[in-house]
Amino acid sequence: MNRLVPFALTALLLAGCTAGAGGQEPPLREGGTGPFTLVTGRDTTGYLRPLLDRWNRSRPAERVTLLELPEAADEQRAQMVANLQARSDRYDVLGLDVVWTAEFADAGWIVPLERSMFPLDRFLPPVVDTAVYRGKLWAVPYTSNAGLLYYRKDLLAKEGLAPPRTWAELREQARALHEEYGVGGYAGQFLAYEGLTVNFAEAVQSAGGGPILSPDGTRVTMDAAGAKAGLDFLVGGLREGWIPKESLSYKEEESRLAFQEGRLAFARNWPPAYGPATQSEIAGKFAVTRLPGLDGPGSSTLGGTNLALSAFSKRQKSAAEFIRYFTGLENQRRVLTDGSFPPVWTELYDDPALIRRFPYLPVLKESILSARPRPVSANYDQVSLAIAGAVSGALTPPFEESSDDVVASLKGQLNEIIRAP
């Protein structure tokens, strides 16, 4: 186990007592040791508690208690925000969606950390960027994520087809496999929630529409032509039927089940869906590749979880040491082998033994390195709601609103949100 030396701990806790990005002063907690909590989304694979037990066996006086929140990111955020707005000390270590960094830092709910305490140079660079806001490190990457295209390699082989690299190829293959084998063509996460924001952002950037907001979150930079192309890709699939209408109710779990039960030829999902599929009726019949785009391989949205330190924690010293331990190399290997979650250490993606066990690692590494973060904004929840609402309306039959009008209206909404005080 890596232990923080007293000087490093002092440096971190002093850093944690500086003002937040929004000018709010986090309360001084003078370090603090003892039992603490880790709050994060529901562990759907059961891998987390054994990892926590390893810490607890070696640190009985600093036991960590797992507090699980709902699976959906929107609900996790709502519960965390309610706790932090009340300045409660019940949460110590926060498992944050990578897109929440700016909001939580700006509100003064988390404290900045000392970069030198963590081997960030050995982490995937885009992942580290998700934990930085206005030049400060506000969290430590714990897991990464990038969308992948799951496909039925057995069906493609029967038709003599290579995995699709463009939207046109995906459309053609999805329609052909639907007609020939009676399976749904393609689906992602199209319910009106955070997952739809992710799917739309991927479509926009995969059509050359650029990021939706500028890196500092002060301007709407989404190119109208690229956004229209991305939206047309999704609307066209639903209108033509190669994207099944049932997918309008899909979140990650529903799309995972539809694919592994053999109801889809193609599905966009995160890497943790891979493990369950190997134990399903399509075991040995599927593979993954990068998401397709307008003219070639597309660009995924960068996902994952970062660990942050609550500004209201009374056990900041123990919690900080836990963050360093839990993001260490040994634990990161278990995050992959036991939980099937993408690690943040670059070298694990090049490990031959791990690649034999998880053959998607090289593709996943490419996807992460070419991925883009979701819009960075202290008002991200409003940004995401606006995007999901606008796109959901466009995807819902009878498709009365033109893509041009939807994109223009969305840009107007986003401009109002980012200009709000």
Side-chain angles (χ1 to χ4, degrees):
M1 180 192 307
N2 291 328
R3 295 178 178 270
L4 299 179
V5 298
F7 176 80
L9 276 172
T10 302
L12 179 141
L13 295 170
L14 286 175
C17 296
T18 60
Q24 300 186 38
E25 188 78 19
L28 182 64
R29 290 299 183 190
E30 299 292 347
T33 61
F36 60 94
T37 60
L38 165 65
V39 58
T40 190
R42 185 167 69 90
D43 176 16
T44 59
T45 65
Y47 88 102
L48 193 51
R49 290 187 184 275
L51 297 190
L52 299 179
D53 288 343
R54 292 174 61 87
W55 166 273
N56 288 337
R57 284 194 296 269
S58 63
R59 297 293 191 91
E62 298 175 285
R63 291 186 60 84
V64 56
T65 297
L66 176 64
L67 302 178
E68 293 185 90
L69 299 182
E71 182 182 350
D74 308 44
E75 297 175 49
Q76 293 171 29
R77 179 194 164 278
Q79 291 194 26
M80 283 193 190
V81 168
N83 174 278
L84 295 165
Q85 286 179 332
R87 304 173 72 86
S88 169
D89 61 3
R90 184 166 184 247
Y91 297 166
D92 297 294
V93 178
L94 307 173
L96 302 183
D97 188 300
V98 294
V99 79
W100 299 340
T101 302
E103 177 190 7
F104 280 54
D106 212 56
W109 295 334
I110 56 179
V111 295
L113 307 175
E114 179 59 47
R115 287 174 179 262
S116 62
M117 295 178 54
F118 307 98
L120 301 179
D121 60 328
R122 298 175 70 180
F123 291 5
L124 294 161
V127 176
V128 176
D129 291 342
T130 68
V132 176
Y133 178 58
R134 295 185 178 177
K136 293 183 179 180
L137 182 73
W138 291 91
V140 183
Y142 173 61
T143 65
S144 187
N145 234 347
L148 299 171
L149 181 70
Y150 288 71
Y151 66 93
R152 288 288 301 273
K153 66 179 183 180
D154 60 328
L155 301 185
L156 291 187
K158 289 180 181 179
E159 301 300 314
L161 299 171
R165 292 170 52 85
T166 66
W167 287 343
E169 291 174 353
L170 175 60
R171 175 180 180 269
E172 180 181 349
Q173 293 182 12
R175 295 181 69 174
L177 296 180
H178 170 66
E179 293 173 3
E180 181 68 22
Y181 300 99
V183 297
Y186 168 78
Q189 293 73 50
F190 300 143
L191 184 70
Y193 79 115
E194 176 68 13
L196 183 54
T197 298
V198 167
N199 278 249
F200 176 69
E202 289 175 341
V204 172
Q205 60 207 34
S206 295
I212 293 174
L213 298 183
S214 61
D216 60 3
T218 61
R219 292 177 296 110
V220 178
T221 53
M222 177 176 64
D223 174 71
K228 179 182 181 300
L231 189 57
D232 283 342
F233 161 66
L234 298 175
V235 173
L238 284 156
R239 191 193 301 272
E240 296 169 7
W242 53 272
I243 295 180
K245 291 180 180 178
E246 305 87 74
S247 65
L248 293 176
S249 66
Y250 285 1
K251 294 193 289 187
E252 283 85 355
E253 188 69 2
E254 290 81 3
S255 54
R256 178 184 71 81
L257 288 173
F259 181 74
Q260 74 176 48
E261 290 173 358
R263 292 185 277 124
L264 289 171
F266 301 95
R268 179 260 176 231
N269 216 324
W270 304 103
Y274 191 96
T278 63
Q279 306 299 317
S280 73
E281 60 188 79
I282 63 166
K285 301 177 181 179
F286 78 97
V288 297
T289 188
R290 287 181 59 179
L291 296 175
L294 180 61
D295 300 314
S299 172
S300 171
T301 292
L302 194 61
T305 299
N306 296 336
L307 299 183
L309 188 60
S310 169
F312 311 111
S313 168
K314 293 181 179 178
R315 300 287 187 266
Q316 287 187 347
K317 186 174 182 180
S318 294
E321 190 163 349
F322 172 81
I323 291 176
R324 181 167 181 175
Y325 161 80
F326 219 54
T327 57
L329 180 59
E330 181 182 356
N331 238 45
Q332 281 287 293
R333 186 180 295 273
R334 291 192 174 92
V335 164
L336 174 61
T337 59
D338 299 355
S340 294
F341 288 97
V344 299
W345 285 66
T346 304
E347 62 199 73
L348 294 177
Y349 289 83
D350 303 318
D351 186 312
L354 291 177
I355 292 174
R356 284 194 295 272
R357 182 172 174 184
F358 302 95
Y360 61 82
L361 284 179
V363 171
L364 178 56
K365 182 181 179 182
E366 289 181 10
S367 297
I368 292 175
L369 292 177
S370 63
R372 292 183 177 177
R374 278 162 280 175
V376 175
S377 173
N379 295 323
Y380 178 77
D381 60 318
Q382 298 177 50
V383 169
S384 181
L385 286 171
I387 294 172
V391 177
S392 178
L395 298 185
T396 304
F399 314 112
E400 293 179 337
E401 196 171 4
S402 72
S403 295
D404 286 309
D405 291 341
V406 172
V407 170
S409 175
L410 177 57
K411 291 187 74 170
Q413 292 182 61
L414 295 178
N415 272 311
E416 290 182 9
I417 292 170
I418 63 177
R419 289 171 184 166

